[in-house]
Amino acid sequence: MTGAPGNLIGLDRNELADIVAGLGEAPFRVKQLWHWIYFRGVTDFANMTSLSGALREKLAASFNLDWPGVVRHQKSADGTMKWLLGMDQRHLVESVYIPQDDRGALCMSSQVGCTLTCRFCHTGTQRLVRNLEPGEIVGQFMLARDTLDEWPAPVDGRRMLSNIVMMGMGEPLYNFDNVKTALSIIMDPEGIALSRRRITLSTAGVVPMMKRCGEELGVDLAVSLHAVNDDVRTRLVPLNRKYPIGDLLDACRAYPGAGNARRITFEYVMLKDVNDSDADARELVRLLKGIPAKVNLIPFNAWPGAPFECSPARRIASFAGIVNDGGYSAPVRRPRGRDIMAACGQLKSDTVKMARSAMTSAPPPAS
Ligand code: SAH
């Protein structure tokens, strides 16, 4: 399991350097090890042929490179894939791969469950919550790259796993240190080497952490706005009581690196008769004034017992038209993977009884 002691996945270069030094090995071994783990996706030390036999044995005696255990892997009719992953004996998370014509994004989780209890989000009803470790976050990516058979690189050089959205379970800015370590590993040019421009982090609006996110990670920012006044937003996103819309938009205006070439995405879930009127759309345009922004309109994805309905298509079209006329791109997101409960806000992982055997089996080595 990813969180088990001795797992090297998720350690940053300094931590790996300490381990290599502790084994009495020269510092250049760190670079080699990094290459095997994050460029080639090798999970068995025995296959790291540029290392001496003695070092391979020493590593295997004390360490492992386990990825999260796959409890269930589902594929939607539209090609979307969802993994239910066991991080330890009690904690499960989901990640979702969303393919497009010539690329695709992995939607990764940052926490088991979520503490924010947004009223329209299924994850918010999950009781069991903990932060994911860096290796548990990186592991989601490694597993997806392996499933798509893209270690070390696809034959034609074009990757179907080309982007990451930190939009799965959890609030990434409530687990910033671990998310930062994980994304730094993923962006490291000698390993997975995904550019920060291909990574989007979504927050419900943890205002005090937004600046650090821009400065220290430099990834694109998405903000779950969902309402244009504090009354409605507080009802939908209780975090709004702590960080109301005015403060949130100020933090967006100050987001390091945002500009016309790199806009902030505002996510807006379309809830029938709650936040979807033409007046709401006009107010949204007014609020976003001066912010390099685009708006993603997300048709509400239902889940069992959800207290909302999705706005009708004509209502969404009218809302989108007003936001467009106001000068902001406002695509209506096509829901993906609804048939396997993989769409936005449908992820939840505490109800599934898992087989012990599934929890302990790591995927077969990629090399
Ligand atoms: N905590 C972060 C990351 C989760 S991202 C955040 O709130 O941004 C998940 C996105 O899906 C958020 O924009 C969330 O508001 C949206 N979402 C949640 N439940 C949904 C639902 N039932 N239908 C559509 N979108 C939903």
Side-chain angles (χ1 to χ4, degrees):
M1 266 163 285
T2 344
N7 196 341
L8 298 186
I9 292 178
L11 302 186
D12 65 23
R13 277 180 186 258
N14 292 333
E15 291 168 317
L16 216 48
D18 288 345
I19 285 176
V20 164
L23 294 174
E25 296 281 337
F28 76 94
R29 295 294 183 196
V30 175
K31 202 177 156 95
Q32 289 182 321
L33 204 50
W34 193 271
H35 179 86
W36 286 113
I37 301 173
Y38 294 115
F39 184 75
R40 300 210 167 260
V42 167
T43 53
D44 187 346
F45 295 111
N47 294 331
M48 300 185 173
T49 47
S50 63
L51 306 183
S52 69
L55 174 54
R56 282 185 253 168
E57 275 168 32
K58 274 191 277 183
L59 285 167
S62 311
F63 302 101
N64 66 78
L65 295 166
D66 290 348
W67 299 346
V70 181
V71 177
R72 191 171 64 203
H73 180 213
Q74 290 169 281
K75 195 162 180 176
S76 155
D78 69 15
T80 301
M81 289 192 275
K82 180 167 93 167
W83 292 263
L84 178 66
L85 303 172
M87 295 303 183
D88 57 46
Q89 296 300 344
R90 283 182 345 126
H91 293 101
L92 297 164
V93 301
E94 294 183 316
S95 37
V96 176
Y97 170 72
I98 307 132
Q100 289 182 317
D101 290 347
D102 57 353
R103 62 205 161 102
L106 185 69
C107 176
M108 307 209 302
S109 293
S110 56
Q111 297 181 307
V112 176
C114 189
T115 56
L116 293 179
T117 64
C118 299
R119 293 264 322 282
F120 50 85
C121 180
H122 204 198
T123 309
T125 65
Q126 181 164 332
R127 303 272 289 279
L128 204 60
V129 180
R130 78 157 165 84
N131 283 336
L132 291 182
E133 296 295 324
E136 295 171 329
I137 299 169
V138 178
Q140 296 172 54
F141 184 90
M142 299 180 82
L143 200 59
R145 178 165 276 188
D146 197 65
T147 308
L148 292 164
D149 201 14
E150 293 191 340
W151 298 112
V155 195
D156 63 358
R158 192 174 270 261
R159 290 191 185 281
M160 285 305 291
L161 174 45
S162 57
N163 290 67
I164 288 177
V165 291
M166 293 300 298
M167 294 188 184
M169 301 167 66
E171 169 49 52
L173 296 189
Y174 271 169
N175 187 18
F176 184 72
D177 289 340
N178 290 351
V179 167
K180 180 181 167 187
T181 303
L183 293 182
S184 304
I185 290 171
I186 288 172
M187 292 189 280
D188 187 294
E190 292 180 356
I192 294 168
L194 204 75
S195 146
R196 67 192 167 83
R197 299 186 170 269
R198 294 180 175 273
I199 301 177
T200 302
L201 182 146
S202 179
T203 180
V206 184
V207 166
M209 297 307 294
M210 285 166 59
K211 186 160 177 254
R212 280 189 66 192
C213 177
E215 279 174 357
E216 297 173 32
L217 285 172
V219 296
D220 282 356
L221 186 70
V223 172
S224 296
L225 188 62
H226 304 320
V228 293
N229 66 64
D230 283 321
D231 280 352
V232 177
R233 189 163 193 270
T234 297
R235 202 148 45 85
L236 299 177
V237 183
L239 183 68
N240 191 70
R241 209 168 282 128
K242 217 166 168 184
Y243 308 117
I245 293 176
D247 296 358
L248 178 57
L249 295 181
D250 283 347
C252 290
R253 281 188 193 91
Y255 189 69
N260 276 338
R262 291 186 73 207
R263 292 166 193 270
I264 294 175
T265 302
F266 288 89
E267 294 152 284
Y268 199 97
V269 62
M270 299 302 298
L271 303 172
K272 185 177 176 197
D273 297 333
V274 175
N275 62 358
D276 63 351
S277 71
D278 286 352
D280 289 327
R282 284 191 289 272
E283 178 62 6
L284 180 59
V285 170
R286 198 188 67 80
L287 285 176
L288 295 183
K289 212 172 177 126
I291 303 178
K294 57 188 175 195
V295 178
N296 272 346
L297 299 177
I298 315 175
F300 171 65
N301 292 305
W303 36 271
F308 298 103
E309 279 177 69
C310 183
S311 310
R314 279 187 24 220
R315 181 91 300 278
I316 298 179
S318 169
F319 193 101
I322 292 169
V323 179
N324 263 312
D325 290 348
Y328 295 98
S329 137
V332 180
R333 306 312 298 195
R334 186 161 52 99
R336 302 290 303 269
R338 265 185 180 167
D339 55 340
I340 54 169
M341 289 286 286
C344 293
Q346 292 185 314
L347 305 185
K348 179 170 180 175
S349 63
D350 66 348
T351 49
V352 182
K353 281 230 182 324
M354 47 186 155
R356 228 188 135 78
S357 57
M359 295 290 302
T360 44
S361 60
S367 52

